[in-house]
Amino acid sequence: MVDPQQVLGARVRDALVAAYGADYADADPLIRPSSYADAQSNVALPLAKRLGRAPRDIAAEIVGHLDIDDVCEPPSVSGPGFINLTLRPQWIADAVTGLLADPRIGTPAAAEPQTVVVDYSSPNIAKEMHVGHLRATIVGDAIVRVLEFAGHHVIRDNHVGDWGTPFGMLLEQLDDVGDDSAQAGLLRTDPNAFYQAARVKFDSDPGFADRARERVVKLQSGNDPGTQRLWDELMELSKDYLRDTYALLRVTLTDEDIRGESFYNDMLAGVAEDLIAKGLARVSDGALCAFPAGFENRDGSPLPLIIRKSDGGYNYATSDLATIRYRVDKLNADRALYVVGTDQALHFKMVFAVAKQAGWLPEGTDFEHAQIGMVQGKDGRRLRTRAGDNVTLSELISEGPQRARALLDEVERDDQGLDLDAIAADVGIGAIKYADLSTARESAYIFDWDRMISFKGNTGPYLQYATTRIRSIFRRAGIDETGLQGPILVPATAERELARKLLDFGSVVTQVSESAEPHRLCSYLFEVASLFTSFYEQCPVLKADDDQTRNSRLALCAAALRVLTVGLGLLGVPIPNRM
């Protein structure tokens, strides 16, 4: 065990048992960060009422039973009863040396692995992805990577919009132009142009509009082979676009991860029938509605969740309820994360409430709305083009590398023959992704090219540069860092601080897997990179005074490089070998 918090917590818990008996074996040792030591235990404060004694006296008694000399300097008590714990340099050195041989870098495998469905990205078929899909795609993919690294079985689920009235229009347009035409090819390269052409024809040609409406009926009936063939072709052409977009973003979604709205179409009637049978849905104003407890309109009347519209059609709520049943019954999901915008919060609260009432979300199954905040422009409003349109994802993906290339051209470098365009692609995409991920996912953030494509501050390029700087040390030394085994020594303050921070990697990854908050990993990696910069500036590596110090510092560089590369990999941020 190398996680200082776990080690210290276990020792404090043992001291509690020694002092007060087995009833305290499960007490939270309350290990917290401290300004005066590596950590402090605040456990004496909540025990004061239980034991009827002063917290400082309890803290002193715990310290008297604390067997921690091999890990810490002698502990002290401060304030109302804080137990201050300072790790011994040798313990830190031994623990960080152990990370070099640990493929998991101190990350414990999940004690009880879960099957987790992560619902993310979810664009509409035959439409170009816009900036609103950016965060759901990037954050969702980072959550998936972290959960898998933590040892869980993760099922990616791209719940695309591939059903409903607009598809009659799109299918009729595809039938008109031919699926091997240049116009059909737009579905691969410019889906919005194809959609807009169909929309114009739908609005201006009554005959086309009538055929489109008839096509919807044929599609939903499932009995028209020609319509089914067109729908399959539409899906394949759109998948080409999605595949290319995800590849540019370095996102791990594949065609096999797509379970669109159409997948659940045959289950919708059963959802409605079961809710009626359970007494959870009734007709209101011609529509079948559920009225989960605790949800009200502004006038205090019950707020309905529409299950079946008055015209007999189903909507998103019905599809989402069918999805929940499928994920629980067929995928055996223990947990599901819906990486979707904050504006859908009420919808998901109501859907989850109805699913629980119906018994479709059993006790112990955790379905969560991992809320995603809005991407804003510098004016604090939704990010749009100058013409007022939604910014397309393709615009951002192409502009990022262009701006990164301009930044790289300003850097003086000794390396010749580098593929700067490839490096710029990594830097530009990495900058976009990191700017998104480093913001708490439920918060809105301002999309600012000047801030995100910079080698200064908490940015993707800064962290990418930190990794390439470390790699350059090993190139100059002529050493393969993967073979270094230490031992690592930490006599200098900068060495100790960097080594101590590296030991937190496993606990941070575990925390992110539990909270689904990638920004916590971003903050941690930025701290590591900043501490490495201080270490590099204060502690000569290749020009160290002796071989032992040189080898130790090289090994510490190797440990830092592993934490940064694995951490950025979990975020999905690409890392160029040189910059």
Side-chain angles (χ1 to χ4, degrees):
M1 185 186 299
V2 298
D3 180 354
Q5 184 161 322
Q6 289 190 21
V7 172
L8 297 174
R11 298 298 179 93
V12 171
R13 197 176 289 110
D14 289 344
L16 286 171
V17 172
Y20 306 116
D23 289 346
Y24 292 83
D26 295 329
D28 185 345
L30 296 176
I31 304 297
R32 300 290 185 266
S34 170
S35 301
Y36 307 102
D38 288 308
Q40 67 184 30
S41 171
N42 300 343
V43 70
L45 279 69
L47 289 180
K49 184 175 181 180
R50 184 174 177 182
L51 295 173
R53 296 172 56 191
R56 281 189 67 92
D57 293 341
I58 295 171
E61 193 163 16
I62 293 171
V63 168
H65 289 84
L66 196 55
D67 182 9
I68 206 166
D69 288 348
D70 59 323
V71 177
C72 285
E73 305 289 356
S76 63
V77 177
S78 65
F82 303 137
I83 302 172
N84 298 312
L85 303 164
T86 300
L87 296 167
R88 289 187 181 278
Q90 189 60 54
W91 187 88
I92 294 174
D94 292 344
V96 78
T97 299
L99 293 183
L100 293 169
D102 181 3
R104 298 188 57 79
I105 322 179
T107 307
E112 298 180 1
Q114 294 181 315
T115 295
V116 186
V117 176
V118 182
D119 180 333
Y120 68 111
S121 193
S122 306
N124 290 318
I125 290 298
K127 273 191 173 183
E128 185 168 0
M129 294 171 70
H130 57 77
V131 71
H133 296 111
L134 179 71
R135 300 201 74 191
T137 302
I138 291 173
V139 173
D141 203 56
I143 291 171
V144 163
R145 292 169 186 257
V146 170
L147 285 168
E148 287 183 330
F149 189 79
H152 298 288
H153 171 54
V154 181
I155 299 173
R156 295 163 173 79
D157 198 328
N158 196 356
H159 192 84
V160 299
D162 62 353
W163 207 244
T165 303
F167 281 84
M169 176 185 75
L170 293 166
L171 293 174
E172 200 62 30
Q173 173 73 352
L174 185 60
D175 195 25
D176 279 1
V177 302
D179 51 20
D180 59 351
S181 66
Q183 291 96 323
L186 291 171
L187 288 164
R188 293 191 181 96
T189 58
D190 190 359
N192 283 356
F194 184 89
Y195 182 91
Q196 289 163 3
R199 182 84 248 180
V200 168
K201 192 181 294 186
F202 184 87
D203 292 338
S204 62
D205 184 343
F208 178 86
D210 289 342
R211 295 197 306 274
R213 294 187 184 98
E214 292 170 5
R215 186 72 73 174
V216 175
V217 176
K218 292 177 181 179
L219 176 64
Q220 294 181 344
S221 72
N223 298 321
D224 188 80
T227 296
Q228 184 63 46
R229 182 192 65 79
L230 284 171
W231 185 84
D232 290 341
E233 184 65 23
L234 182 70
M235 287 294 296
E236 287 305 312
L237 290 166
S238 295
K239 284 179 181 177
D240 288 343
Y241 163 74
L242 291 178
R243 202 178 298 123
D244 291 344
T245 301
Y246 292 146
L248 289 170
L249 280 175
R250 277 70 157 186
V251 168
T252 58
L253 283 169
T254 67
D255 292 356
E256 286 68 36
D257 302 317
I258 293 178
R259 288 190 189 86
E261 294 167 1
S262 62
F263 182 85
Y264 304 96
N265 187 58
D266 294 341
M267 310 175 198
L268 304 184
V271 167
E273 292 167 4
D274 287 356
L275 290 175
I276 293 171
K278 293 175 183 289
L280 297 174
R282 58 182 172 82
V283 175
S284 175
D285 293 332
L288 181 68
C289 303
F291 294 88
F295 296 92
E296 297 180 344
N297 289 302
R298 291 182 179 178
D299 62 3
S301 61
L303 182 64
L305 182 71
I306 299 176
I307 305 300
R308 187 174 60 217
K309 295 181 288 187
S310 58
D311 63 4
Y314 300 102
N315 61 7
Y316 293 127
T318 330
S319 177
D320 284 336
L321 287 168
T323 302
I324 288 173
R325 297 181 76 177
Y326 180 83
R327 289 172 177 172
V328 172
D329 297 341
K330 302 299 183 182
L331 300 182
N332 300 311
D334 302 300
R335 182 184 183 192
L337 291 162
Y338 291 69
V339 187
V340 182
T342 56
D343 56 343
Q344 296 295 311
L346 178 61
H347 168 78
F348 282 113
K349 286 179 182 177
M350 296 184 72
V351 167
F352 294 157
V354 171
K356 289 177 182 177
Q357 285 181 316
W360 300 335
L361 271 178
E363 195 71 29
T365 303
D366 189 10
F367 276 47
E368 313 161 38
H369 177 198
Q371 298 186 33
I372 299 295
M374 184 189 301
V375 182
Q376 300 176 333
K378 291 183 179 180
D379 59 2
R381 299 179 180 180
R382 186 185 298 273
L383 184 65
R384 295 186 184 277
T385 65
R386 290 182 179 178
D389 300 323
N390 282 334
V391 177
T392 63
L393 208 52
S394 61
E395 290 176 287
L396 295 183
I397 292 174
S398 61
E399 187 169 355
Q402 292 172 12
R403 287 177 173 267
R405 179 57 196 266
L407 181 68
L408 291 171
D409 287 341
E410 297 175 2
V411 177
E412 293 184 8
R413 58 176 59 82
D414 297 327
D415 294 334
Q416 301 297 321
L418 296 182
D419 187 346
L420 291 181
D421 287 338
I423 296 172
D426 285 344
V427 174
I429 296 300
I432 293 170
K433 296 183 76 171
Y434 189 85
D436 192 321
L437 293 164
S438 60
T439 302
R441 57 171 167 74
E442 69 277 9
S443 300
Y445 84 98
I446 293 176
F447 194 95
D448 182 353
W449 283 118
D450 293 334
R451 185 189 66 81
M452 66 175 61
I453 299 192
S454 170
F455 289 127
K456 298 178 181 179
N458 186 13
T459 67
Y462 174 78
L463 287 169
Q464 290 170 318
Y465 180 72
T467 64
T468 59
R469 171 190 270 184
I470 300 174
R471 286 192 173 121
S472 71
I473 294 172
F474 293 112
R475 284 198 300 273
R476 295 200 305 273
I479 292 175
D480 179 2
E481 72 274 9
T482 59
L484 292 173
Q485 299 178 350
I488 294 174
L489 309 173
V490 292
T493 299
E495 291 170 307
R496 185 190 189 280
E497 289 181 350
L498 174 59
R500 168 66 187 85
K501 181 57 65 174
L502 296 178
L503 297 179
D504 289 338
F505 178 77
S507 64
V508 171
V509 171
T510 299
Q511 183 185 33
V512 173
S513 73
E514 294 170 351
S515 67
E517 295 177 319
H519 75 278
R520 299 184 183 277
L521 180 55
C522 293
S523 297
Y524 168 75
L525 294 176
F526 177 61
E527 289 184 70
V528 169
S530 299
L531 288 171
F532 177 81
T533 298
S534 297
F535 156 75
Y536 183 75
E537 292 172 349
Q538 298 175 33
C539 302
V541 177
L542 299 182
K543 296 182 179 180
D545 293 338
D546 55 76
D547 288 345
Q548 183 183 49
T549 301
R550 181 178 187 270
N551 292 337
S552 167
R553 290 176 178 172
L554 283 169
L556 184 56
C557 289
L561 180 61
R562 288 197 63 212
V563 165
L564 288 171
T565 54
V566 173
L568 288 172
L570 293 179
L571 295 172
V573 173
I575 311 170
N577 287 320
R578 301 188 184 193
M579 289 177 69

